[in-house]
Amino acid sequence: MWKGRFQQNTAETVQQFSQSISFDWRLYPFDIQGSIAHAAALKRAGLLSGEELELIRGGLESIKKEIDDGTFTFRPELEDIHMNVESALTAKVGPTGAKLHTARSRNDQVALDLRLYLRHETDEVRGRIRGLQKALVDFAGRNREVIVPGYTHLQRAQPVLLAHHILAYVEMFERDMQRFADAKKRLNQMPLGSGAIAGSTIELDRQYVADLLGFPGITHNSMDAVSDRDFVAEILFAIALTGVHLSRLSEDLILFASAEFHFIQISDAYTTGSSLMPQKKNPDICELTRGKTGRLIGNLVTMLTILKGLPMTYNRDLQEDKEVLFDSIDQVKAVLEVYRGMIPEIAVDARQMREAAQDPGLLATDLADYLVRKNVPFRRAHEIIGKLFALSQQQSRGFSQMTLEELRHFAPEFGPEVFDMLRLERAIESRTAIGAPSPKNVAAELEAWNAILQNEP
Ligand code: ARG
């Protein structure tokens, strides 16, 4: 359609090569929503009569219904969703349909559609992050007394509460929540009226369109508005980082589920067997999540790479934004959903965790702190406990199995109350600073999270 200056149809290979309808069809509810608002602005400017507006609105709504119902025929030769909808409209309502594209270009149209789409999807993703946070807080609450070694360099470091470890992820996901909300502020700007590049000689009331579509602001530079995909890159980054957090969680679960750790078991419903080895129970969900995160990062890099060489303003390269964006949105939603279901299906072996946490090395720092309170300078205390630990390793005896005399041999400051220091509960209870994992602190954190997660969707 609309051949104009062209005398030939585009070659079939070119149609196949350049079409985007096979993936951008999913923008249809937003494309139609935007077109209805645009038609209303045309009416307001006196370019459509009331009857014409109603004709267009009715036509667009019935096209939406056909696509919803799966009875609409998409035509690849019409390239994209915008032209498919417009052509179907004209076929349906006649010449009035051909007035719709007045003072509009696909350049500002696609910018609008993407912003409407992402405004919707950021809320979807945020809702799913909330769901996972709830699952994690519940899981932490159910295991609030469980003590586990905390690791640095994947070496046992200091005892912590398992709930503290889990709540670390809840914090990460909270920052992700904020990042999506923040990115949404910038993408929630109305670009229609920017035209192909320089607006239009036919002036429409852009503020009116923004109000109809519920945008709190409008874009202020037509050239920027038609070529800006920063908001896509920002969302892809927010998704990639959420993926990184999910991937780290996956790695922890994979390690904890191994026979070497034996800290957790993931239920049959969320693990898979091996086609060869009958004994296997594999944490595939976690592994797939770790793998998909590579893809999410790749999608971000793709988008940035597309943008980096573009001269002003719109270039067709920008059509390549959609597949990576849709893929990242789909993948992160799927991962969040399956994780929300999996977390409650994790059984904790509290005894095994405690046993690992009994490793005397984990209390070495506490012993050094004890000496510091006896006025030993920290560096000297560090050295003393280091030597003591070497002996304990050599003789396979924990600190608490040594006598006071033996300890005093290393530092005369040791007193009988040191043995109380060596109780695991006591060691955890004394970690009272804000942000540290004393049971009191962790209980308060759990309560605070429960309040936050209850109040907000
Ligand atoms: N399918 C195009 C895209 O996704 C729509 C805009 C096309 N504009 C143009 N002037 N060819 O970017």
Side-chain angles (χ1 to χ4, degrees):
M1 71 175 186
W2 306 301
K3 253 197 218 148
R5 63 162 287 179
F6 292 91
Q7 258 118 62
Q8 274 183 303
N9 286 325
T10 39
E12 194 140 339
T13 47
V14 173
Q15 284 180 14
Q16 264 315 314
F17 180 72
S18 65
Q19 64 80 27
S20 54
I21 190 64
S22 58
F23 48 87
D24 71 8
W25 68 270
R26 70 157 88 184
L27 293 174
Y28 77 91
F30 309 104
D31 194 73
I32 288 172
Q33 186 190 5
S35 284
I36 291 174
H38 180 64
L42 290 174
K43 149 88 181 20
R44 195 178 170 88
L47 295 159
L48 288 180
S49 69
E51 296 85 79
E52 284 175 319
L53 171 60
E54 285 323 306
L55 201 59
I56 288 177
R57 190 202 306 278
L60 288 169
E61 275 163 4
S62 78
I63 291 168
K64 172 160 186 308
K65 189 160 179 328
E66 283 170 33
I67 304 179
D68 284 343
D69 297 345
T71 57
F72 187 86
T73 312
F74 290 108
R75 290 168 51 197
E77 69 276 18
L78 293 177
E79 231 179 87
D80 56 25
I81 184 62
H82 324 295
M83 299 219 278
N84 267 272
V85 170
E86 195 191 336
S87 151
L89 177 70
T90 309
K92 222 182 250 302
V93 307
T96 305
K99 292 186 173 183
L100 175 64
H101 210 52
T102 310
R104 185 177 71 167
S105 154
R106 278 185 294 156
N107 296 352
D108 58 352
Q109 191 178 357
V110 72
L112 174 70
D113 291 7
L114 272 183
R115 285 169 185 265
L116 285 170
Y117 163 78
L118 274 179
R119 190 169 79 172
H120 173 76
E121 289 298 336
T122 43
D123 290 345
E124 288 286 308
V125 173
R126 289 182 91 241
R128 283 172 200 230
I129 296 176
R130 270 284 179 257
L132 175 56
Q133 283 181 309
K134 280 188 187 137
L136 288 169
V137 170
D138 285 351
F139 178 75
R142 275 199 308 280
N143 295 288
R144 63 171 67 210
E145 265 143 39
V146 177
I147 300 175
V148 66
Y151 296 80
T152 62
H153 312 270
L154 202 52
Q155 307 288 318
R156 287 177 187 164
Q158 294 181 342
V160 294
L161 289 180
L162 176 63
H164 192 60
H165 185 146
I166 297 301
L167 288 180
Y169 284 102
V170 178
E171 295 275 347
M172 291 180 223
F173 291 126
E174 188 63 14
R175 291 195 294 276
D176 294 326
M177 286 290 287
Q178 292 165 4
R179 251 183 294 276
F180 281 106
D182 190 53
K184 184 178 165 184
K185 280 187 221 149
R186 275 180 295 283
L187 69 85
N188 209 3
Q189 303 285 315
M190 209 290 294
L192 211 61
S194 304
I197 169 168
S200 168
T201 56
I202 297 170
E203 197 188 329
L204 301 182
D205 186 344
R206 298 188 65 208
Q207 189 56 54
Y208 175 62
V209 177
D211 292 344
L212 286 178
L213 295 171
F215 280 102
I218 59 180
T219 60
H220 283 269
N221 183 301
S222 61
M223 293 178 78
D224 180 41
V226 294
S227 59
D228 169 27
R229 293 294 182 276
D230 291 4
F231 61 97
V232 175
E234 280 193 61
I235 292 293
L236 288 174
F237 172 70
I239 292 176
L241 193 51
T242 304
V244 167
H245 295 151
L246 286 160
S247 188
R248 291 184 67 192
L249 176 57
S250 300
E251 180 63 14
D252 276 353
L253 296 178
I254 291 166
L255 286 171
F256 282 10
S258 70
E260 281 67 19
F261 277 82
H262 211 285
F263 283 178
I264 59 166
Q265 276 223 36
I266 306 174
S267 83
D268 290 358
Y270 286 86
T271 46
T272 57
S274 157
S275 56
L276 178 70
M277 299 167 283
Q279 84 284 10
K280 289 293 283 283
K281 186 169 168 182
N282 297 327
D284 287 32
I285 302 297
C286 306
E287 295 164 54
L288 279 167
T289 298
R290 204 173 47 184
K292 282 177 191 296
T293 301
R295 191 163 149 189
L296 300 180
I297 295 167
N299 287 343
L300 168 64
V301 174
T302 299
M303 187 68 239
L304 292 172
T305 313
I306 290 168
L307 292 175
K308 77 177 268 294
L310 290 191
M312 288 286 265
T313 54
Y314 179 86
N315 297 269
R316 193 64 181 277
D317 314 43
L318 289 174
Q319 182 169 296
E320 293 290 314
D321 60 0
K322 280 169 215 61
E323 282 160 294
V324 287
L325 177 61
F326 296 158
D327 183 51
S328 282
I329 293 273
D330 291 347
Q331 294 302 322
V332 81
K333 277 164 70 179
V335 170
L336 287 165
E337 193 56 25
V338 73
Y339 251 81
R340 190 186 56 78
M342 182 177 71
I343 297 296
E345 300 280 312
I346 295 174
V348 166
D349 191 333
R351 253 198 31 211
Q352 184 74 19
M353 288 190 180
R354 192 185 168 87
E355 196 153 310
Q358 296 283 8
D359 181 337
L362 269 68
L363 295 183
T365 323
D366 295 42
L367 275 188
D369 291 348
Y370 168 84
L371 288 179
V372 164
R373 263 180 255 113
K374 300 263 174 176
N375 220 11
V376 180
F378 178 75
R379 278 293 157 223
R380 211 172 83 73
H382 187 281
E383 196 186 340
I384 292 167
I385 304 301
K387 286 188 176 144
L388 193 58
F389 185 66
L391 177 79
S392 133
Q393 289 281 81
Q394 212 178 48
Q395 304 186 343
S396 305
R397 285 196 300 152
F399 297 134
S400 52
Q401 287 157 328
M402 296 182 178
T403 65
L404 188 56
E405 285 62 48
E406 280 177 295
L407 293 178
R408 284 208 165 122
H409 180 74
F410 285 86
E413 288 84 353
F414 279 119
E417 70 291 345
V418 68
F419 294 107
D420 188 45
M421 296 284 312
L422 293 171
R423 281 188 314 110
L424 208 46
E425 268 74 19
R426 160 78 204 244
I428 293 271
E429 275 155 23
S430 11
R431 295 183 143 76
T432 52
I434 296 172
S438 74
K440 232 172 126 183
N441 281 354
V442 171
E445 283 298 309
L446 282 169
E447 206 175 304
W449 278 116
N450 274 318
I452 291 170
L453 298 177
Q454 245 148 48
N455 290 338
E456 213 199 297

